[in-house]
Protein backbone atom coordinates (compact mmCIF):
# COMPACT_ATOMS: atom_id res chain seq x y z
CA UNK A 1 0.00 0.00 0.00
CA UNK A 2 2.76 2.35 0.95
CA UNK A 3 4.55 1.71 -2.33
CA UNK A 4 1.44 2.48 -4.34
CA UNK A 5 0.84 5.54 -2.23
CA UNK A 6 4.40 6.71 -2.70
CA UNK A 7 4.51 6.16 -6.45
CA UNK A 8 1.13 7.67 -7.27
CA UNK A 9 2.18 11.30 -6.87
CA UNK A 10 5.24 10.82 -9.05
CA UNK A 11 3.14 9.35 -11.83
CA UNK A 12 0.66 12.14 -11.50
CA UNK A 13 3.46 14.75 -11.47
CA UNK A 14 5.05 13.27 -14.60
CA UNK A 15 1.74 13.31 -16.43
CA UNK A 16 1.20 16.91 -15.38
CA UNK A 17 4.71 17.84 -16.47
CA UNK A 18 4.16 16.31 -19.90
CA UNK A 19 0.87 18.11 -20.26
CA UNK A 20 2.32 21.46 -19.24
CA UNK A 21 5.41 21.37 -21.49
CA UNK A 22 5.00 24.25 -23.97
CA UNK A 23 6.12 23.70 -27.51
CA UNK A 24 6.34 26.55 -29.98
CA UNK A 25 4.49 25.75 -33.16
CA UNK A 26 5.84 27.48 -36.24
CA UNK A 27 3.15 28.46 -38.70
CA UNK A 28 3.62 27.40 -42.30
CA UNK A 29 3.89 30.98 -43.56
CA UNK A 30 6.72 31.66 -41.09
CA UNK A 31 8.70 28.65 -42.29
CA UNK A 32 8.82 29.85 -45.91
CA UNK A 33 12.39 30.86 -46.93
CA UNK A 34 12.99 34.57 -47.27
CA UNK A 35 13.97 34.42 -50.93
CA UNK A 36 10.78 32.55 -51.79
CA UNK A 37 8.59 34.96 -49.81
CA UNK A 38 10.25 37.99 -51.43
CA UNK A 39 9.87 36.43 -54.89
CA UNK A 40 6.18 35.78 -54.26
CA UNK A 41 5.56 39.37 -53.13
CA UNK A 42 7.49 40.71 -56.14
CA UNK A 43 5.52 38.58 -58.59
CA UNK A 44 2.21 39.62 -57.05
CA UNK A 45 3.21 43.28 -57.12
CA UNK A 46 4.40 43.25 -60.73
CA UNK A 47 1.38 41.17 -61.80
CA UNK A 48 -1.02 43.65 -60.19
CA UNK A 49 0.89 46.53 -61.76
CA UNK A 50 0.70 44.91 -65.21
CA UNK A 51 -3.00 44.16 -64.81
CA UNK A 52 -3.80 47.74 -63.86
CA UNK A 53 -1.97 49.14 -66.89
CA UNK A 54 -3.23 46.47 -69.34
CA UNK A 55 -6.87 47.01 -68.37
CA UNK A 56 -6.49 50.76 -68.84
CA UNK A 57 -7.52 51.55 -65.27
CA UNK A 58 -4.78 54.18 -65.09
CA UNK A 59 -3.45 56.36 -67.87
CA UNK A 60 0.01 55.29 -69.12
CA UNK A 61 1.10 58.91 -68.72
CA UNK A 62 0.57 58.53 -64.97
CA UNK A 63 1.61 54.90 -64.54
CA UNK A 64 3.92 53.26 -67.11
CA UNK A 65 3.92 49.51 -67.67
CA UNK A 66 6.53 47.34 -65.95
CA UNK A 67 8.18 46.69 -69.32
CA UNK A 68 8.50 50.40 -70.09
CA UNK A 69 10.04 50.95 -66.67
CA UNK A 70 12.45 48.04 -67.17
CA UNK A 71 13.56 49.41 -70.55
CA UNK A 72 14.24 52.81 -69.01
CA UNK A 73 16.10 51.21 -66.10
CA UNK A 74 18.37 49.49 -68.63
CA UNK A 75 18.96 52.83 -70.35
CA UNK A 76 19.81 54.54 -67.05
CA UNK A 77 22.06 51.62 -66.08
CA UNK A 78 23.96 51.87 -69.36
CA UNK A 79 24.40 55.60 -68.86
CA UNK A 80 25.78 54.99 -65.37
CA UNK A 81 28.15 52.24 -66.51
CA UNK A 82 29.51 54.29 -69.40
CA UNK A 83 30.19 57.31 -67.19
CA UNK A 84 27.43 59.48 -68.64
CA UNK A 85 25.89 62.58 -67.11
CA UNK A 86 23.69 60.46 -64.83
CA UNK A 87 26.74 59.04 -63.06
CA UNK A 88 27.83 62.53 -62.06
CA UNK A 89 24.32 63.31 -60.82
CA UNK A 90 24.21 60.08 -58.82
CA UNK A 91 27.58 60.81 -57.24
CA UNK A 92 26.37 64.24 -56.12
CA UNK A 93 23.33 62.68 -54.44
CA UNK A 94 25.49 60.01 -52.80
CA UNK A 95 27.78 62.69 -51.36
CA UNK A 96 24.77 64.56 -50.00
CA UNK A 97 23.53 61.39 -48.33
CA UNK A 98 26.92 60.42 -46.86
CA UNK A 99 27.74 63.91 -45.57
CA UNK A 100 24.22 64.39 -44.24
CA UNK A 101 24.23 61.06 -42.45
CA UNK A 102 27.66 61.69 -40.93
CA UNK A 103 26.53 65.11 -39.70
CA UNK A 104 23.31 63.61 -38.31
CA UNK A 105 25.29 60.96 -36.42
CA UNK A 106 27.60 63.56 -34.87
CA UNK A 107 24.80 65.91 -33.82
CA UNK A 108 22.29 63.19 -32.91
CA UNK A 109 24.72 61.22 -30.77
CA UNK A 110 25.89 64.34 -28.92
CA UNK A 111 22.35 65.50 -28.20
CA UNK A 112 21.34 61.94 -27.30
CA UNK A 113 24.07 61.74 -24.67
CA UNK A 114 23.03 65.16 -23.35
CA UNK A 115 19.38 64.11 -23.10
CA UNK A 116 20.04 60.62 -21.78
CA UNK A 117 22.79 61.48 -19.33
CA UNK A 118 21.73 64.80 -17.81
CA UNK A 119 18.55 66.01 -16.18
CA UNK A 120 19.01 69.37 -17.91
CA UNK A 121 18.99 67.74 -21.32
CA UNK A 122 15.92 65.66 -20.55
CA UNK A 123 13.94 68.52 -19.00
CA UNK A 124 15.07 71.52 -21.04
CA UNK A 125 16.45 70.27 -24.38
CA UNK A 126 14.25 67.29 -25.23
CA UNK A 127 10.94 69.23 -25.33
CA UNK A 128 12.40 71.61 -27.92
CA UNK A 129 13.73 68.72 -29.99
CA UNK A 130 10.30 67.11 -29.98
CA UNK A 131 8.65 70.40 -30.95
CA UNK A 132 11.07 70.88 -33.85
CA UNK A 133 10.60 67.29 -35.01
CA UNK A 134 6.82 67.70 -35.15
CA UNK A 135 7.20 70.57 -37.62
CA UNK A 136 7.00 69.76 -41.36
CA UNK A 137 10.58 69.20 -42.48
CA UNK A 138 9.87 70.36 -46.03
CA UNK A 139 9.09 73.85 -44.73
CA UNK A 140 12.72 74.22 -43.63
CA UNK A 141 14.13 73.59 -47.11
CA UNK A 142 13.76 77.23 -48.29
CA UNK A 143 15.43 78.39 -45.09
CA UNK A 144 18.44 76.14 -45.61
CA UNK A 145 18.70 77.36 -49.19
CA UNK A 146 18.55 80.99 -48.04
CA UNK A 147 21.18 80.36 -45.36
CA UNK A 148 23.54 78.03 -47.24
CA UNK A 149 22.85 78.70 -50.92
CA UNK A 150 21.91 76.43 -53.82
CA UNK A 151 24.97 74.20 -53.51
CA UNK A 152 25.39 70.85 -51.82
CA UNK A 153 25.50 72.43 -48.36
CA UNK A 154 21.74 73.11 -48.15
CA UNK A 155 20.92 69.53 -49.20
CA UNK A 156 23.33 68.09 -46.65
CA UNK A 157 21.78 70.28 -43.95
CA UNK A 158 18.22 69.15 -44.75
CA UNK A 159 19.27 65.50 -44.92
CA UNK A 160 20.97 65.77 -41.53
CA UNK A 161 18.00 67.68 -40.11
CA UNK A 162 15.60 64.84 -40.98
CA UNK A 163 17.90 62.05 -39.77
CA UNK A 164 19.04 63.60 -36.49
CA UNK A 165 16.00 63.16 -34.24
CA UNK A 166 15.75 59.32 -34.49
CA UNK A 167 19.42 59.10 -33.53
CA UNK A 168 18.83 61.37 -30.54
CA UNK A 169 15.92 59.24 -29.34
CA UNK A 170 17.79 55.96 -29.92
CA UNK A 171 20.89 57.15 -28.07
CA UNK A 172 18.92 58.52 -25.12
CA UNK A 173 16.83 55.35 -24.89
CA UNK A 174 19.98 53.24 -24.98
CA UNK A 175 21.54 55.14 -22.09
CA UNK A 176 18.35 54.77 -20.05
CA UNK A 177 18.30 51.01 -20.74
CA UNK A 178 21.27 50.32 -18.46
CA UNK A 179 20.46 47.95 -15.60
CA UNK A 180 20.03 49.63 -12.23
CA UNK A 181 22.06 46.95 -10.47
CA UNK A 182 24.94 47.50 -12.88
CA UNK A 183 24.78 51.22 -12.19
CA UNK A 184 24.94 50.62 -8.46
CA UNK A 185 27.87 48.24 -8.94
CA UNK A 186 29.86 50.83 -10.89
CA UNK A 187 28.99 53.46 -8.29
CA UNK A 188 30.09 51.15 -5.47
CA UNK A 189 33.40 50.47 -7.23
CA UNK A 190 34.04 54.21 -7.39
CA UNK A 191 33.71 54.59 -11.17
CA UNK A 192 33.38 58.14 -12.41
CA UNK A 193 30.40 59.32 -14.43
CA UNK A 194 32.43 59.23 -17.64
CA UNK A 195 33.71 55.72 -16.91
CA UNK A 196 30.17 54.52 -16.23
CA UNK A 197 28.99 56.08 -19.48
CA UNK A 198 31.75 54.63 -21.65
CA UNK A 199 32.20 51.21 -20.08
CA UNK A 200 28.64 50.35 -19.08
CA UNK A 201 25.86 52.56 -20.45
CA UNK A 202 27.05 52.87 -24.04
CA UNK A 203 27.81 49.16 -24.58
CA UNK A 204 24.48 48.23 -23.01
CA UNK A 205 22.56 50.76 -25.10
CA UNK A 206 24.15 50.02 -28.48
CA UNK A 207 21.12 48.05 -29.78
CA UNK A 208 18.86 51.07 -29.22
CA UNK A 209 21.47 53.41 -30.67
CA UNK A 210 21.62 51.36 -33.86
CA UNK A 211 17.83 51.32 -34.05
CA UNK A 212 17.94 55.10 -34.23
CA UNK A 213 20.73 54.92 -36.81
CA UNK A 214 18.68 52.62 -39.04
CA UNK A 215 15.70 54.95 -38.90
CA UNK A 216 17.99 57.88 -39.68
CA UNK A 217 19.52 55.98 -42.61
CA UNK A 218 16.07 55.72 -44.14
CA UNK A 219 15.26 59.41 -43.65
CA UNK A 220 18.55 60.86 -44.86
CA UNK A 221 17.82 59.93 -48.49
CA UNK A 222 14.43 61.64 -48.33
CA UNK A 223 16.08 64.77 -46.97
CA UNK A 224 18.67 64.97 -49.73
CA UNK A 225 16.15 64.45 -52.53
CA UNK A 226 13.67 66.91 -50.99
CA UNK A 227 16.44 69.49 -50.85
CA UNK A 228 17.13 68.98 -54.55
CA UNK A 229 13.45 69.28 -55.42
CA UNK A 230 12.99 72.58 -53.62
CA UNK A 231 16.45 74.10 -53.72
CA UNK A 232 17.80 73.16 -57.10
CA UNK A 233 20.89 71.04 -57.50
CA UNK A 234 22.55 68.69 -59.94
CA UNK A 235 21.78 65.31 -58.40
CA UNK A 236 19.25 62.58 -59.10
CA UNK A 237 16.52 64.67 -57.50
CA UNK A 238 16.93 67.29 -60.19
CA UNK A 239 16.80 64.61 -62.88
CA UNK A 240 13.55 63.31 -61.38
CA UNK A 241 12.09 66.82 -61.30
CA UNK A 242 12.98 67.43 -64.96
CA UNK A 243 11.59 64.04 -66.05
CA UNK A 244 8.36 64.68 -64.14
CA UNK A 245 7.95 68.08 -65.76
CA UNK A 246 8.26 66.35 -69.15
CA UNK A 247 5.73 63.65 -68.14
CA UNK A 248 8.45 61.04 -68.65
CA UNK A 249 7.09 58.72 -65.95
CA UNK A 250 9.19 55.66 -66.93
CA UNK A 251 12.30 57.78 -66.29
CA UNK A 252 10.91 58.96 -62.96
CA UNK A 253 10.22 55.38 -61.88
CA UNK A 254 13.63 54.10 -62.97
CA UNK A 255 15.50 56.93 -61.21
CA UNK A 256 13.50 56.33 -58.03
CA UNK A 257 14.33 52.63 -58.12
CA UNK A 258 18.04 53.35 -58.48
CA UNK A 259 17.83 55.75 -55.55
CA UNK A 260 16.17 53.02 -53.52
CA UNK A 261 19.19 50.82 -54.18
CA UNK A 262 21.44 53.54 -52.76
CA UNK A 263 19.19 53.77 -49.71
CA UNK A 264 19.35 50.01 -49.25
CA UNK A 265 23.15 50.13 -49.35
CA UNK A 266 23.21 52.81 -46.63
CA UNK A 267 20.78 50.83 -44.49
CA UNK A 268 22.68 47.58 -45.05
CA UNK A 269 25.91 49.30 -44.02
CA UNK A 270 24.37 50.25 -40.69
CA UNK A 271 23.08 46.70 -40.19
CA UNK A 272 26.52 45.25 -41.03
CA UNK A 273 28.21 47.61 -38.55
CA UNK A 274 25.67 46.64 -35.90
CA UNK A 275 26.38 42.95 -36.38
CA UNK A 276 30.10 43.56 -36.00
CA UNK A 277 29.91 45.80 -32.93
CA UNK A 278 26.90 44.31 -31.16
CA UNK A 279 27.82 40.67 -31.77
CA UNK A 280 26.58 39.71 -28.30
CA UNK A 281 23.09 40.77 -29.42
CA UNK A 282 23.18 38.47 -32.45
CA UNK A 283 19.87 36.72 -31.79
CA UNK A 284 18.01 40.00 -32.11
CA UNK A 285 20.23 41.61 -34.73
CA UNK A 286 19.47 40.93 -38.36
CA UNK A 287 16.54 38.59 -37.80
CA UNK A 288 14.21 41.01 -39.51
CA UNK A 289 16.73 43.24 -41.26
CA UNK A 290 18.81 41.65 -44.03
Amino acid sequence: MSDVHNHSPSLKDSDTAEDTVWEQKIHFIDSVPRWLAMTFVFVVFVGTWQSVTSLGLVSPIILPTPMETLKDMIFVGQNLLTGGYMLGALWITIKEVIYGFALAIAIGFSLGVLVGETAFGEKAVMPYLVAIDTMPKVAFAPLFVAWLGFGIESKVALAAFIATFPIVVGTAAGLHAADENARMLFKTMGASRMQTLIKMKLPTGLPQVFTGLKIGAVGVMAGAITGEFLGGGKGFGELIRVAASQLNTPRVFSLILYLSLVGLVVFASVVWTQRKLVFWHKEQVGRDDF
Side-chain angles (χ1 to χ4, degrees), residues 9-158:
S10 61
L11 292 174
K12 188 177 294 185
D13 292 342
S14 62
D15 293 339
T16 304
E18 292 179 0
D19 293 339
T20 57
V21 171
W22 180 78
E23 294 182 1
Q24 183 180 7
K25 294 183 180 180
I26 301 177
H27 195 273
F28 168 75
I29 195 171
D30 295 326
S31 62
V32 177
R34 171 173 293 184
W35 68 269
L36 184 58
M38 293 181 64
T39 303
F40 174 76
V41 173
F42 178 78
V43 171
V44 171
F45 174 76
V46 175
T48 304
W49 182 4
Q50 181 63 45
S51 300
V52 170
T53 54
S54 299
L55 296 175
L57 300 178
V58 180
S59 171
I61 298 178
I62 299 176
L63 182 65
T65 64
M67 187 55 64
E68 290 174 339
T69 304
L70 178 61
K71 290 180 180 179
D72 204 273
M73 286 189 67
I74 295 174
F75 172 80
V76 173
Q78 291 175 344
N79 190 285
L80 294 174
L81 292 175
T82 55
Y85 69 97
M86 291 185 183
L87 181 61
L90 179 61
W91 176 239
I92 292 175
T93 300
I94 291 176
K95 287 195 297 183
E96 294 169 355
V97 170
I98 294 176
Y99 295 161
F101 195 37
L103 184 60
I105 293 174
I107 298 176
F109 184 77
S110 300
L111 290 176
V113 172
L114 177 65
V115 171
E117 187 66 11
T118 65
F120 173 81
E122 185 175 1
K123 295 178 180 179
V125 178
M126 190 62 180
Y128 288 103
L129 294 177
V130 174
I132 293 174
D133 190 65
T134 57
M135 299 176 183
K137 307 298 187 301
V138 179
F140 285 87
L143 293 176
F144 287 128
V145 173
W147 295 336
L148 302 174
F150 290 94
I152 190 176
E153 293 83 2
S154 58
K155 286 73 176 176
V156 170
L158 185 59

Side-chain angles (χ1 to χ4, degrees), residues 227-242:
E228 292 184 1
F229 281 162
L230 302 178
K234 300 179 182 179
F236 253 40
E238 177 65 13
L239 296 182
I240 293 175
R241 189 191 64 80
V242 172

